[in-house]
Amino acid sequence: MQSHPENNADDADLWKSFRAGDDDAFGQIARHYYKSLFSYGSKFSLDREFVKDCIQDLFMELWAKRETIGDTAFVKFYLLKSLRRKIYRESQRQQWISEGEELDFSAEASGDASIEEHIIEIETNEAMLKTLNQQINLLTRRQQEVIYLRFFESMDNEAIAQVMGISRPAVANLLYRTIQELKDRL
């Protein structure tokens, strides 16, 4: 879900309050973004407990460093990018993510759909979703990540560039090539 301008202002105010030591503001940030962080983190590791630990560590580090971290109007992007770095650092340290590991980009892993919506979607689109998921799993990890951020998190190219640590034109090229590759396969 993309942030609305008025939410950015609220997020920026919450962020400032958190940085000033307001634990209620910090709790609101954590509660509001936990589900998105968990869904995003689950794309990098199938170990749910590892992802939860990384999120918890991220929030503990944020609280400990609250006085030295900068302002941001885009809290969600800041948190997603921080979690991405945390997972990569921790997984390299523990060697839990191998290059050959397939990432799960199915709706079940993200937990975004209600049970009723999920059942309807399976009944009406089962064959198409199965084919699409198979084709997504054949993409490179970076291609899978750009698809997830664009279509599952509804981020624009600028936000994706910030999260992935690449330029905006690189995101546009990667997204274009990935969609073309999927179209050609389908």
Side-chain angles (χ1 to χ4, degrees):
M1 209 161 88
Q2 202 166 12
S3 295
H4 300 289
E6 65 274 5
N7 291 345
N8 286 341
D10 293 343
D11 281 356
D13 290 341
L14 271 177
W15 191 258
K16 285 179 184 172
S17 296
F18 143 66
R19 288 183 57 236
D22 183 343
D23 57 349
D24 287 333
F26 181 66
Q28 286 181 41
I29 291 169
R31 282 188 299 278
H32 183 74
Y33 290 109
Y34 184 86
K35 185 177 178 180
S36 289
L37 289 169
F38 183 76
S39 291
Y40 183 60
S42 296
K43 307 311 174 200
F44 296 99
S45 175
L46 300 176
D47 184 344
R48 297 170 59 92
E49 294 306 313
F50 172 71
V51 174
K52 289 177 185 177
D53 289 345
C54 286
I55 295 170
Q56 182 178 353
D57 289 349
L58 172 63
F59 280 116
M60 287 174 33
E61 288 172 13
L62 286 173
W63 183 255
K65 297 176 182 179
R66 68 188 175 275
E67 295 170 353
T68 60
I69 57 178
D71 273 336
T72 183
F74 303 100
V75 174
K76 182 177 185 177
F77 306 141
Y78 182 94
L79 293 173
L80 288 172
K81 185 173 184 175
S82 298
L83 179 62
R84 181 180 194 263
R85 273 185 283 188
K86 180 101 183 121
I87 288 173
Y88 274 119
R89 276 195 312 265
E90 290 299 315
S91 64
Q92 285 178 348
R93 189 174 67 80
Q94 298 175 12
Q95 298 178 346
W96 283 9
I97 296 179
S98 67
E99 281 301 309
E101 182 177 337
E102 287 187 14
L103 302 177
D104 185 3
F105 280 83
S106 64
E108 299 152 4
S110 66
D112 291 339
S114 71
I115 293 173
E116 294 83 13
E117 290 171 306
H118 188 65
I119 290 170
I120 291 168
E121 183 178 77
I122 288 173
E123 289 174 353
T124 58
N125 298 317
E126 188 174 85
M128 187 172 68
L129 287 175
K130 183 177 178 185
T131 302
L132 182 59
N133 279 328
Q134 288 171 342
Q135 294 307 313
I136 288 174
N137 283 331
L138 296 174
L139 298 172
T140 67
R141 292 174 63 106
R142 286 181 76 76
Q143 287 175 315
Q144 290 178 15
E145 183 177 3
V146 78
I147 290 292
Y148 174 78
L149 291 173
R150 180 66 181 106
F151 297 104
F152 288 75
E153 288 294 331
S154 301
M155 290 184 174
D156 61 19
N157 288 1
E158 183 66 34
I160 294 170
Q162 290 175 11
V163 171
M164 292 181 71
I166 59 178
S167 71
R168 195 173 140 214
V171 170
N173 289 337
L174 179 60
L175 195 54
Y176 176 78
R177 284 193 319 271
T178 302
I179 291 171
Q180 281 304 118
E181 188 174 326
L182 281 173
K183 282 181 180 179
D184 290 346
R185 290 180 182 183
L186 296 174

